[in-house]
Amino acid sequence: MPHKPLLALYSLTHLAVDFTCAFLLFRLAAGAPDWALALLLYNFCAFAMQMPLGAIADRLNRNGVLAAAGCALTALSALMPAPLPLAIAAGLGNALFHLGGGLDTLNDSTKKAAALGIFVSPGALGLALGTLCGKAGLLPLALPPLILLVLAVAILLLCRRTYGSLRYRNAPPELTCAGRPAAIVPLFLVVVLRSYMGMQQSFPWKADWALLLTLMLVLGKASGGFLSDRLGPRRASMVSLTGAGLLYFACVLPLPGLLAVLLFNMTMPITLWAAARLLPGAKGFTFGLLTFALFLGFLPSYMGWPPLLTSPAAYVAVTAISMGLLGLGLMGEGRTC
């Protein structure tokens, strides 16, 4: 496990960054004539832009500074005069934070995946709570940005204390693959499918169980890394997706549906961990490559294309396809501990 205080701070800040982005967008931009374009620009900047920014982050070698800058830019997006610049600033701030915090977490994790699950999991809760508070106007507008500025300073101070400087030793930047180069393709496709599934799946009980459903997302992502360290990434993926597939057959009921979502999302940190292992000299770029896959999975729903996943059988099929793709992407990966 990496430096626990820094991991805890990054995880808390992840929740705060995603909360603030959703809060500001729904408080200041929702309902505007260009709201749909603002939503697209935010997602493009927050997810697709992580790929080129990640390549820069690998060479910059200032992960804590990058994370703090992302917090500050997200906070300052509240001062933007219109929805479109707000969406661009918030999205880029989100991307910078994820890259800085994600790189530090990956570098410190070495062969373990648990810390990565802890880092990525709070985002879903932040988005859900930020959306709720932004729509309802439950908080003063200035409070979330101010909290982010405080967290930015805390990150700089704790990074300096933990590493002795604000320069962290990233691996020498290179795109040389440490394993089978083709393995990145199924890992990329798994993330596209997971994103598409998350945007499309709907349950008859979803409105009444929305908060618990979000908590299942969080718990699934957090626990997936621990299961990977315990069983090995390939076996952990097969176990979690087999369970998810069986439970999706009965997902019209709340309990099986909630457990299916939990198990399905356990593969998220495993996928990120495995991709970073393939390109150890380009972890930031790899992180961004998979967030670009998230963006691609978001696009069909945004564009209003007819949904393809409308039944439990469809969810089971996606789970089975994901299992096959992960089996290909993780071939040769044994235990991580």
Side-chain angles (χ1 to χ4, degrees), residues 92-106:
L92 290 175
N94 188 299
L96 292 174
F97 167 75
H98 278 77
L99 287 168
L103 270 169
D104 266 350
T105 303
L106 283 167

Side-chain angles (χ1 to χ4, degrees), residues 5-27:
L6 188 58
L7 176 61
L9 178 59
Y10 274 141
S11 301
L12 174 64
T13 308
H14 187 183
L15 188 152
V17 167
D18 282 10
F19 178 98
T20 304
C21 288
F23 175 80
L24 293 176
L25 282 169
F26 282 95
R27 181 75 173 267

Side-chain angles (χ1 to χ4, degrees), residues 43-66:
N43 280 280
F44 177 81
C45 292
F47 298 107
M49 284 298 295
Q50 281 194 51
M51 187 165 54
L53 290 173
I56 296 172
D58 288 324
R59 296 181 176 277
L60 186 62
N61 209 14
R62 296 287 194 283
N63 304 331
V65 174
L66 205 66

Side-chain angles (χ1 to χ4, degrees), residues 3 84 107 118 127 150 152 155 209 251 270 277 300-301 337:
H3 304 92
L84 296 187
N107 285 334
I118 293 171
L127 284 174
V150 172
I155 287 171
W209 297 71
C251 68
I270 298 173
R277 293 255 292 184
S301 296
C337 54

